[in-house]
Structure formats: C-alpha cells, structure tokens
Amino acid sequence: MKIGILTYHAACNFGANLQILSTIFYLHNQGHNPIIINWFTKELENYYLKNTPSLQVEEHKNFRDKYFPLTNRCFNDEDIIKEIEKNKIEAIIVGSDAVAQHHPFLSRIVFPCKKIITIKKVSKDRTFPNPFWGSFYNLLEKKIPLVMMSASSQNSAYKLTPNFERKEMNLHLSNFSFISVRDQWTSKMIQYISNNKIQPKVTPDPVFAFNNNIDIQPSKEEILQKFNLPADYYLLSFLNQKYITVDWLNEFEKLATEKGIASVALPFPQGIKFNHPLKYEINLPLSPIDWYALIKYSKGYIGNNMHPIVVCLHNGVPCFSFDNYGIVKYRLYTQKNSSKIYHIMKRFNVMDNHIIANNKLYKCPTPLMVLNKIHHFSTEGVKTESVKIYRDYLKMMDTIVKTLIDNKK
C-alpha cells in the first residue's frame, strides 16, 4: 500500500527526524511504500533559517534528501490534495510528534509583562485547523483512510478552547479511523474535545523502536573516532544558561573525572547555548544518526528536551531530565501531568531522575546529587520496560496498518 506520512519531517530537530525515519523503515520492512507529504510552511522554514546555523540547516536537508521519499512541496490544503492524487496515495498516517497542537487564544494572553499585557504569536502548524488535523480531508474527491499516530498536543491548555471551536475540532477528528496519542495530557484533550466519544490509547514514540527498525547505525568505535572521544563519557545538553551555571558544570566535570568519565557538551540543532568549561564539545553540523549514536553509547545524558530521554530509555542509558515542558501557572507552578517527559519517565519508574525546571520555584540540584542518580539508575528495570514499550509499539503499528487496509476496501 502507498502510505502518506504527514508530520514535522522538515524540522531542524534530531528527534523529529529520527521518529519519522523509524516509521519509514517500519513500513518498508512490512512491504509498504511510504511517502512523506511535504507540507512545510514558509513560516516554519523562516523560523529554522533564523534560529539554526546554516551548516546545520543544510545537514537536516541532506538527511531528508538521503532518507525521506518526498512529494512536491505543499503550502496549503489544495497542494496536499494535488500530491495525494498525483502520487496515488492510498492512506495517510498523521504523526508522530506534536501534530495535535492547538493553543487557544485565552492561553496565549501573557499578563503581567513589560507591555502589561501581550498575546503570544502561534504559527499555523500549532493552531487548529491545519493539515495535521485533516483540514484537507473533506476536500478530497476520493476519500482515503486517515489515522493519527502517537500525537502530542505539546501541553496545550485545551480547557480554554471555546465551545464553537471544540465542535469544529470534533468534526475533524471524526474523519480519523484511528487515533492514538503520546501522553496522557493529549489523551485527556481528545476526550474533552470529543465529549468522551474518542478515548485514544497512549502509544509509544517511534524512536522507542529505532534499534529494531533501523540497520544503518554506526558502531561505538566509529563514533569515538569520529568525535575524538574517550570510551566513557557523559553528555550534557541545555537549551540555555538558566538551568545550570558554569560553576555547576565545573563541579560536575571534576566529580565525573574522579570516576574516570569525561564530560561532553552536546549541541541542539541551534548550537550550544550554555556557557561551559568542559574539555570535550560536539560541534555542528551533526547528523541525526550520529546524535542518536552519541547518546546510545554514552554513560549518561543530563539536560533538557524529550527525545534525548527517549533515546536513553530505549537503550538502557542512565539519564537525568531537567524537564523544560509543562504548563506553568503564574510563573510559579507547573502542571507536571502536562509534560510529556514527566509522562514517559513515570512510565519507566525513574522519577528520581527528573526535576521540573521551567518555573521560578525551580532549584537546581547539586552536581553530586545528579551524578548519584545517574550512578544508581535502574538500568535493568528500564531495559525490561523498554521491551514492553516495543511490544506496545508493534501492537500500535499492527492496528494502524490493519485499520488502513480495512478502511481502504
């Protein structure tokens, strides 16, 4: 079957690239013909061009060109419909990733602030309606099966959505033959929108199946040689300086060195935005495959964002999350259940290696405490849970493929 995939395929984001690669390989391995519906707005493109070094933008483009079968670029619903018809796409998977976002107007009001009150701007891909919500579907001359896989709402404040908007969102959701989500917060959002008529299961991120789906990974020896690293190293990666200080990093490196383990600064695609004294640093450009391998072969990851944590848990690698997700109330309190990192680490029973770090009450843990948590990480327990997660993934993909085949008839 020729299956279209609609997700954040063009993001300058390592995890986003890898989860779609995992889906492509899975479908290929099952004898299907996946193709990426190349919806990529100028707004999103300009954001990456502005915020990501040009060498890294080119690296992500090269990655797409090498691994992703793409339609012509689409800018709107009409373009998507043309590509569906031109490429004879027989079914569509929306996801995985933050494809179920909608940030209501009331949630974007910031008060107080320097201007007393302001409204946060939100891009088209993060507000309903858009193609991720199937905005093109009712315009199709010939209807094809449509499913949503492991979607995330990116901690949307969904209860602030007005009734008229919820009704419209519910109509769009009714076009999907199957819906699963990546976290409990998004599941509750879908239930709320649909008046409990849709109760999506929480299913794994495709990166939890990366080792099983992908056979193009470099060896540890190749990675150590390429990046001139010692055999044992920790990776530290922070979005900016607000989570840790240079003194903190100095102390961490000193303690890690005493254990015979090097400390390495790992960049996000936007570069290394935190000041550090560490002896080792990974430079851009960096391929998503090498990024994955660097984490996989490390002795531990300490820092921000979700996908580094997913890579660690998938591979039984110790990690400590400075969780930068979740809805913050009055800048002081974070609704932890709205964080996708919180949801994942709770599933793996490693909450001792997690701290909410995105509000004003955040207090940085000591380097010694973080290292102790890494040292006492429940590796065997995590590996056991990872096997269960992979079984959940296989069940999800089997259900999705069967749903697409059955609804195509």
Side-chain angles (χ1 to χ4, degrees), residues 308-327:
I309 301 301
V310 171
V311 176
C312 286
L313 297 177
H314 179 42
N315 290 283
V317 174
C319 55
F320 191 97
S321 172
F322 288 72
D323 190 346
N324 50 304
Y325 290 102
I327 296 172

Side-chain angles (χ1 to χ4, degrees), residues 8 98-109 119-130 133 152-162 165 169 185-186 189 193 325-327 338 340:
Y8 281 101
V99 293
Q101 290 189 74
H102 177 59
H103 301 279
F105 177 80
L106 290 176
S107 71
R108 293 185 272 127
I109 298 173
I119 309 297
K120 284 184 181 178
K121 291 183 179 180
V122 180
S123 55
K124 179 177 175 58
D125 59 287
R126 299 177 64 214
T127 53
F128 171 87
N130 65 49
W133 288 85
S152 170
S153 63
Q154 203 80 347
N155 52 266
S156 166
Y158 59 86
K159 288 190 176 179
L160 296 178
T161 306
E165 210 163 40
M169 294 168 85
W185 187 265
T186 307
M189 184 191 83
I193 291 169
Y325 290 102
I327 296 172
S338 64
K340 53 193 178 183

Side-chain angles (χ1 to χ4, degrees), residues 55-56 59 227 282-287:
L55 282 173
Q56 188 60 33
E59 185 71 34
F227 295 99
I282 305 299
N283 296 312
L284 298 179
L286 178 63
S287 82

